[in-house]
Amino acid sequence: MFYAQAVSFALAIGLMLSPEALILVGQGVGHAGMFFILAISVATLLHASTAMSLALASLGGGEPRLMRETLGAVPAASSMLCSRMAFAVLAMPILLSTAGYAFNEVFVQTFPNFGFAFLLLAVVTVIVLASPRASEALQIASVVVAVGGLLFLSVMGISTPDITAIEINTPSLGEASGAMASAVLILVGYDLLFITGRRSAEDIRAAVTALILAGMFFVFWGLATFFHVPGSRLVESTVPYALASRKIFGEPGRMIMGAVVISGTVAAVNVLLVAGARLLSEMSEAGLAPYVFDSTSRKWRGKLGVVLISGLGAGLMALGMAGEARTLVWLKAALMFWVLHYALVNLAVFLALRQRTMGGFVYNAAFGAGAFGLLFVGIIVADPDSLALVRAMLVLMSAMTVLSIAYRLYRVRFGGGR
Amino acid sequence: MRWLKMRRLAMALTAVALFAFYAHAEEVQTITKEELVKLLDDPSVVVYDVRTGTDWRASEFKIKGAKRLDMEMPDAWDLPRDKKLVFY
């Protein structure tokens, strides 16, 4: 029982421990100081209210089925492909190359960073393909290392503040809205638990617990960073977590942070592979994706999704996309679609429940749809390079919509194909 | 037969292109990091860090005083012609 809860917790928190989240925390503290800490608390509550709708969607026959029945097949498929699926593929080169740099620069300088990135992806893929049990154990181990290291450095940082490094300034409206946006984005990903095939009341509790604890970890790490590195230096740095860990605990702190980055990447990649394949299978079950991904009839088909996501991620790395600035814009575009997806799931739950006597859930879903819809627009407007972001989003949406329509037409013409 | 000729022609063109690329690459000098360290305080040397994306972002090590160039807009580069340029 405890093991099952630990697995659920580790799957829910996995993506939130990625190095990208740590960059956002560092830069958020740099721009907005203590306001960012407050923003994380507000964002945690906002996500927790939406977690209820996501859990309801997951329990009621699966999210793809509910979205298809309430919003239509093409919007449902497009939203899922643009958000989690595109994110799973685009995040691979960025997360893995960050882990590669951490390994190369912190631990073994003679080992090439991209060699490590490919090796890490291969090892995680083989483990996911070989055994679900081994994948769960890997998830727990990597989360324990990442959370343990982050908490240790946070406690060290908070207990020994450097008064000379503290910069107190009032954030401008732009900085405050940017901080709020970052706070919302660092907590995206807990819902991957609901699509890993784990659906029970305990899992809902595990997802909300992971969300609240992740919020608390980021508050602690944000405070430790605030107490040790001036905001102006955090804003300039591309690796604020490395800067803060070195200031807090010297070279050992840097090594602990290196371990946090690598294990956080493993946790994120592992859950993205498992959840991405499972999502393809659920979409296939709901008639939104080709039947070859449906693992309910034949288990090996679930592995096709893992191979596809891992292969595409490896392909992007081989093409040098990790070193391209536009890959980050594409990743942010997918993340924005994930925020929009939260709004759409809330909308689907609202449409499904409004005729029934489930007032609390209906109001919660309506609130979630409105709040995440507004955040979606607000974050795009507040983005410093909103034009490039919108362009990437349009291309991504067009590609995924064409894919969804093409598959829809294929199904209409040739039937289910089962 | 015609296909064979085309393939030979393609191979010959590839060989010429590779040779030209290699010959061109020879013109660009490379230096070691130890040599670069000695040049860092030299005012006649400008160092450009041309890493992009995660290559730039994820690395802890940045060269002190190095300038950055937007690789998407090479037309906008204004490189000093009277100085020694080092690209990383």
Side-chain angles (χ1 to χ4, degrees):
Chain A
M1 187 66 184
F2 174 76
Y3 181 78
Q5 283 178 345
V7 172
S8 298
F9 173 77
L11 288 168
I13 205 168
L15 189 60
M16 292 185 268
L17 295 172
S18 77
E20 285 302 303
L22 294 177
I23 293 174
L24 285 174
V25 172
Q27 293 186 337
V29 171
H31 279 293
M34 291 300 277
F35 177 81
F36 185 67
I37 308 294
L38 183 73
I40 295 176
S41 312
V42 175
T44 306
L45 292 175
L46 201 59
H47 275 291
S49 78
T50 282
M52 195 51 69
S53 293
L54 287 156
L56 278 175
S58 160
L59 291 171
E63 197 183 287
R65 191 176 296 274
L66 176 76
M67 288 187 74
R68 191 195 66 183
E69 285 168 6
T70 51
L71 305 175
V74 172
S78 304
S79 177
M80 273 173 272
L81 290 174
C82 285
S83 55
R84 294 181 187 128
M85 198 50 68
F87 185 90
V89 173
L90 291 163
M92 294 286 166
I94 290 172
L95 297 180
L96 288 161
S97 59
T98 304
Y101 271 100
F103 186 73
N104 171 270
E105 293 182 347
V106 179
F107 297 110
V108 187
Q109 293 203 347
T110 48
F111 202 98
N113 45 11
F114 273 92
F116 183 79
F118 278 109
L119 187 67
L120 202 61
L121 178 61
V123 168
V124 177
T125 305
V126 167
I127 288 174
V128 172
L129 290 173
S131 145
R133 195 89 181 154
S135 166
E136 289 172 359
L138 177 71
Q139 189 69 10
I140 292 178
S142 50
V143 165
V144 165
V145 174
V147 168
L150 200 62
L151 274 181
F152 175 78
L153 288 172
S154 300
V155 171
M156 290 292 292
I158 294 170
S159 57
T160 57
D162 177 6
I163 307 295
T164 56
I166 298 174
E167 271 181 13
I168 295 178
N169 51 358
T170 313
S172 64
L173 185 65
E175 285 174 330
S177 51
M180 192 64 224
S182 296
V184 169
L185 296 180
I186 57 172
L187 296 169
V188 167
Y190 61 92
D191 48 304
L192 289 176
L193 171 66
F194 300 134
I195 47 170
T196 49
R198 309 175 70 80
R199 289 175 188 161
S200 66
E202 283 78 28
D203 290 330
I204 298 167
R205 221 171 295 144
V208 176
T209 308
L211 188 61
I212 292 169
L213 284 180
M216 280 171 58
F217 298 153
F218 289 140
V219 165
F220 292 154
W221 177 241
L223 281 172
T225 304
F226 180 74
F227 287 154
H228 284 269
V229 188
S232 49
R233 288 199 65 199
L234 286 171
V235 171
E236 282 171 15
S237 175
T238 58
V239 278
Y241 52 81
L243 194 65
S245 59
R246 203 167 46 227
K247 282 277 284 177
I248 290 168
F249 202 42
E251 191 56 22
R254 187 171 160 259
M255 292 178 87
I256 292 171
M257 186 48 82
V260 169
V261 166
I262 293 168
S263 50
T265 300
V266 171
V269 169
N270 191 28
V271 74
L272 283 172
L273 288 178
V274 174
R278 179 72 196 169
L279 180 65
L280 274 175
S281 174
E282 281 197 9
M283 286 177 70
S284 175
E285 258 181 87
L288 300 174
Y291 74 98
V292 288
F293 295 113
D294 184 1
S295 60
T296 50
S297 53
R298 286 187 175 50
K299 273 203 166 168
W300 62 266
R301 286 179 176 167
K303 295 179 179 179
L304 279 181
V306 176
V307 173
L308 179 75
I309 297 167
S310 176
L312 287 172
L316 288 179
M317 279 202 294
L319 288 170
M321 292 304 283
E324 293 279 343
R326 62 192 152 169
T327 312
L328 290 165
V329 181
W330 288 98
L331 185 69
K332 188 151 193 192
L335 197 54
M336 290 316 303
F337 277 119
W338 204 328
V339 172
L340 180 67
H341 187 73
Y342 285 147
L344 292 177
V345 175
N346 272 303
L347 182 65
V349 171
F350 171 77
L351 293 173
L353 297 184
R354 67 183 163 165
Q355 304 295 346
R356 301 181 196 175
T357 51
M358 298 175 81
F361 292 122
V362 176
Y363 295 137
N364 183 57
F367 169 73
F372 277 95
L374 279 175
L375 277 166
F376 172 73
V377 177
I379 296 173
I380 294 171
V381 172
D383 193 90
D385 199 3
S386 52
L387 194 66
L389 181 61
V390 170
R391 212 180 298 145
M393 287 174 70
L394 284 175
V395 173
L396 197 59
M397 191 174 71
S398 307
M400 297 307 172
T401 306
V402 166
L403 215 59
S404 306
I405 292 173
Y407 182 65
R408 196 76 210 140
L409 291 175
Y410 172 82
R411 269 182 68 88
V412 171
R413 176 77 179 80
F414 300 105
R418 280 165 213 277
Chain B
M1 197 64 185
R2 191 176 165 193
W3 179 84
L4 202 64
K5 276 184 185 170
M6 290 295 283
R7 201 173 73 160
R8 279 183 187 155
L9 182 66
M11 283 170 72
L13 281 174
T14 308
V16 170
L18 281 174
F19 179 77
F21 177 76
Y22 182 73
H24 185 68
E26 280 292 279
E27 290 170 14
V28 180
Q29 291 178 354
T30 56
I31 57 170
T32 64
K33 61 177 186 287
E34 288 77 15
E35 286 172 312
L36 177 62
V37 169
K38 287 177 195 162
L39 294 172
L40 283 180
D41 294 327
D42 187 341
S44 67
V45 174
V46 185
V47 182
Y48 290 99
D49 192 331
V50 293
R51 290 177 294 174
T52 57
T54 311
D55 286 347
W56 159 257
R57 226 167 59 116
S59 175
E60 262 188 77
F61 302 134
K62 312 283 196 293
I63 302 166
K64 202 175 175 186
K67 296 181 177 178
R68 300 206 65 219
L69 292 172
D70 186 349
M71 299 306 287
E72 302 281 319
M73 300 176 73
D75 293 342
W77 297 353
D78 186 19
L79 305 177
R81 292 181 182 276
D82 57 335
K83 297 199 172 176
K84 186 183 273 184
L85 309 180
V86 180
F87 294 91
Y88 177 68

